[in-house]
PDB file of all heavy atoms in Angstrom:
ATOM      1  N   ASN W 117      17.359  23.343  29.554  1.00 93.00           N
ATOM      2  CA  ASN W 117      17.943  24.665  29.687  1.00 93.00           C
ATOM      3  C   ASN W 117      18.154  25.063  31.141  1.00 93.00           C
ATOM      4  O   ASN W 117      19.121  25.714  31.473  1.00 93.00           O
ATOM      5  CB  ASN W 117      17.041  25.659  28.960  1.00 93.00           C
ATOM      6  CG  ASN W 117      17.776  26.821  28.387  1.00 93.00           C
ATOM      7  OD1 ASN W 117      18.662  26.615  27.571  1.00 93.00           O
ATOM      8  ND2 ASN W 117      17.472  28.008  28.865  1.00 93.00           N
ATOM      9  N   GLU W 118      17.286  24.556  31.991  1.00 93.00           N
ATOM     10  CA  GLU W 118      17.378  24.820  33.446  1.00 93.00           C
ATOM     11  C   GLU W 118      18.375  23.892  34.106  1.00 93.00           C
ATOM     12  O   GLU W 118      18.556  23.986  35.312  1.00 93.00           O
ATOM     13  CB  GLU W 118      15.998  24.667  34.082  1.00 93.00           C
ATOM     14  CG  GLU W 118      14.992  25.743  33.763  1.00 93.00           C
ATOM     15  CD  GLU W 118      15.350  27.075  34.397  1.00 93.00           C
ATOM     16  OE1 GLU W 118      15.462  27.122  35.644  1.00 93.00           O
ATOM     17  OE2 GLU W 118      15.474  28.082  33.638  1.00 93.00           O
ATOM     18  N   GLU W 119      18.926  22.964  33.324  1.00 93.00           N
ATOM     19  CA  GLU W 119      19.792  21.906  33.836  1.00 93.00           C
ATOM     20  C   GLU W 119      19.132  20.996  34.857  1.00 93.00           C
ATOM     21  O   GLU W 119      19.722  20.389  35.748  1.00 93.00           O
ATOM     22  CB  GLU W 119      21.104  22.511  34.462  1.00 93.00           C
ATOM     23  CG  GLU W 119      21.903  23.275  33.365  1.00 93.00           C
ATOM     24  CD  GLU W 119      23.209  23.844  33.959  1.00 93.00           C
ATOM     25  OE1 GLU W 119      23.926  23.138  34.740  1.00 93.00           O
ATOM     26  OE2 GLU W 119      23.556  25.001  33.650  1.00 93.00           O
ATOM     27  N   ASP W 120      17.792  20.966  34.766  1.00 95.00           N
ATOM     28  CA  ASP W 120      16.984  20.024  35.575  1.00 95.00           C
ATOM     29  C   ASP W 120      16.687  18.796  34.720  1.00 95.00           C
ATOM     30  O   ASP W 120      15.540  18.602  34.230  1.00 95.00           O
ATOM     31  CB  ASP W 120      15.704  20.720  36.044  1.00 95.00           C
ATOM     32  CG  ASP W 120      14.952  19.919  37.089  1.00 95.00           C
ATOM     33  OD1 ASP W 120      15.291  18.763  37.354  1.00 95.00           O
ATOM     34  OD2 ASP W 120      13.993  20.464  37.727  1.00 95.00           O
ATOM     35  N   TYR W 121      17.737  17.971  34.519  1.00 97.00           N
ATOM     36  CA  TYR W 121      17.612  16.927  33.547  1.00 97.00           C
ATOM     37  C   TYR W 121      16.568  15.839  33.904  1.00 97.00           C
ATOM     38  O   TYR W 121      15.879  15.288  33.044  1.00 97.00           O
ATOM     39  CB  TYR W 121      18.995  16.284  33.303  1.00 97.00           C
ATOM     40  CG  TYR W 121      20.016  17.299  32.885  1.00 97.00           C
ATOM     41  CD1 TYR W 121      21.262  17.462  33.541  1.00 97.00           C
ATOM     42  CD2 TYR W 121      19.733  18.178  31.797  1.00 97.00           C
ATOM     43  CE1 TYR W 121      22.173  18.383  33.135  1.00 97.00           C
ATOM     44  CE2 TYR W 121      20.704  19.103  31.429  1.00 97.00           C
ATOM     45  CZ  TYR W 121      21.912  19.268  32.070  1.00 97.00           C
ATOM     46  OH  TYR W 121      22.804  20.190  31.688  1.00 97.00           O
ATOM     47  N   ASN W 122      16.546  15.521  35.220  1.00 95.00           N
ATOM     48  CA  ASN W 122      15.564  14.464  35.636  1.00 95.00           C
ATOM     49  C   ASN W 122      14.128  14.883  35.383  1.00 95.00           C
ATOM     50  O   ASN W 122      13.345  14.100  34.951  1.00 95.00           O
ATOM     51  CB  ASN W 122      15.787  14.130  37.105  1.00 95.00           C
ATOM     52  CG  ASN W 122      17.088  13.342  37.386  1.00 95.00           C
ATOM     53  OD1 ASN W 122      17.526  12.557  36.498  1.00 95.00           O
ATOM     54  ND2 ASN W 122      17.710  13.608  38.480  1.00 95.00           N
ATOM     55  N   GLU W 123      13.859  16.140  35.630  1.00 96.00           N
ATOM     56  CA  GLU W 123      12.507  16.668  35.372  1.00 96.00           C
ATOM     57  C   GLU W 123      12.198  16.621  33.869  1.00 96.00           C
ATOM     58  O   GLU W 123      11.084  16.311  33.450  1.00 96.00           O
ATOM     59  CB  GLU W 123      12.335  18.083  35.911  1.00 96.00           C
ATOM     60  CG  GLU W 123      10.979  18.618  35.833  1.00 96.00           C
ATOM     61  CD  GLU W 123       9.903  17.947  36.661  1.00 96.00           C
ATOM     62  OE1 GLU W 123      10.310  17.370  37.710  1.00 96.00           O
ATOM     63  OE2 GLU W 123       8.739  17.948  36.289  1.00 96.00           O
ATOM     64  N   GLY W 124      13.180  16.972  33.044  1.00 96.00           N
ATOM     65  CA  GLY W 124      13.061  16.991  31.588  1.00 96.00           C
ATOM     66  C   GLY W 124      12.769  15.521  31.148  1.00 96.00           C
ATOM     67  O   GLY W 124      11.785  15.297  30.340  1.00 96.00           O
ATOM     68  N   LEU W 125      13.510  14.565  31.569  1.00 96.00           N
ATOM     69  CA  LEU W 125      13.354  13.162  31.148  1.00 96.00           C
ATOM     70  C   LEU W 125      12.031  12.580  31.581  1.00 96.00           C
ATOM     71  O   LEU W 125      11.481  11.724  30.977  1.00 96.00           O
ATOM     72  CB  LEU W 125      14.511  12.325  31.692  1.00 96.00           C
ATOM     73  CG  LEU W 125      15.846  12.492  31.047  1.00 96.00           C
ATOM     74  CD1 LEU W 125      16.945  11.769  31.824  1.00 96.00           C
ATOM     75  CD2 LEU W 125      15.800  11.985  29.591  1.00 96.00           C
ATOM     76  N   LYS W 126      11.476  13.111  32.681  1.00 95.00           N
ATOM     77  CA  LYS W 126      10.146  12.663  33.149  1.00 95.00           C
ATOM     78  C   LYS W 126       9.161  12.826  32.083  1.00 95.00           C
ATOM     79  O   LYS W 126       8.148  12.027  31.918  1.00 95.00           O
ATOM     80  CB  LYS W 126       9.801  13.495  34.394  1.00 95.00           C
ATOM     81  CG  LYS W 126       8.631  12.871  35.206  1.00 95.00           C
ATOM     82  CD  LYS W 126       8.119  13.867  36.268  1.00 95.00           C
ATOM     83  CE  LYS W 126       9.177  14.132  37.293  1.00 95.00           C
ATOM     84  NZ  LYS W 126       8.611  15.016  38.384  1.00 95.00           N
ATOM     85  N   HIS W 127       9.310  13.849  31.245  1.00 95.00           N
ATOM     86  CA  HIS W 127       8.288  14.143  30.188  1.00 95.00           C
ATOM     87  C   HIS W 127       8.703  13.679  28.782  1.00 95.00           C
ATOM     88  O   HIS W 127       7.853  13.579  27.918  1.00 95.00           O
ATOM     89  CB  HIS W 127       8.008  15.646  30.208  1.00 95.00           C
ATOM     90  CG  HIS W 127       7.638  16.199  31.556  1.00 95.00           C
ATOM     91  ND1 HIS W 127       6.480  15.812  32.194  1.00 95.00           N
ATOM     92  CD2 HIS W 127       8.369  16.966  32.440  1.00 95.00           C
ATOM     93  CE1 HIS W 127       6.467  16.417  33.417  1.00 95.00           C
ATOM     94  NE2 HIS W 127       7.619  17.109  33.540  1.00 95.00           N
ATOM     95  N   THR W 128      10.009  13.397  28.587  1.00 95.00           N
ATOM     96  CA  THR W 128      10.455  13.077  27.277  1.00 95.00           C
ATOM     97  C   THR W 128      10.813  11.577  27.112  1.00 95.00           C
ATOM     98  O   THR W 128      10.869  11.106  25.968  1.00 95.00           O
ATOM     99  CB  THR W 128      11.734  13.867  26.892  1.00 95.00           C
ATOM    100  OG1 THR W 128      12.772  13.512  27.851  1.00 95.00           O
ATOM    101  CG2 THR W 128      11.465  15.399  26.980  1.00 95.00           C
ATOM    102  N   HIS W 129      11.054  10.902  28.192  1.00 93.00           N
ATOM    103  CA  HIS W 129      11.677   9.546  28.063  1.00 93.00           C
ATOM    104  C   HIS W 129      10.766   8.542  27.313  1.00 93.00           C
ATOM    105  O   HIS W 129      11.272   7.629  26.702  1.00 93.00           O
ATOM    106  CB  HIS W 129      11.963   8.980  29.492  1.00 93.00           C
ATOM    107  CG  HIS W 129      10.743   8.453  30.195  1.00 93.00           C
ATOM    108  ND1 HIS W 129       9.821   9.276  30.863  1.00 93.00           N
ATOM    109  CD2 HIS W 129      10.268   7.172  30.327  1.00 93.00           C
ATOM    110  CE1 HIS W 129       8.865   8.526  31.374  1.00 93.00           C
ATOM    111  NE2 HIS W 129       9.117   7.271  31.072  1.00 93.00           N
ATOM    112  N   ALA W 130       9.495   8.769  27.362  1.00 89.00           N
ATOM    113  CA  ALA W 130       8.580   7.857  26.661  1.00 89.00           C
ATOM    114  C   ALA W 130       8.669   7.979  25.146  1.00 89.00           C
ATOM    115  O   ALA W 130       8.143   7.118  24.414  1.00 89.00           O
ATOM    116  CB  ALA W 130       7.105   8.045  27.105  1.00 89.00           C
TER     117      ALA W 130
END
Side-chain angles (χ1 to χ4, degrees):
N117 211 57
E118 289 289 303
E119 297 180 45
D120 190 349
Y121 304 127
N122 288 328
E123 185 65 29
L125 286 169
K126 194 189 295 183
H127 308 292
T128 63
H129 78 280

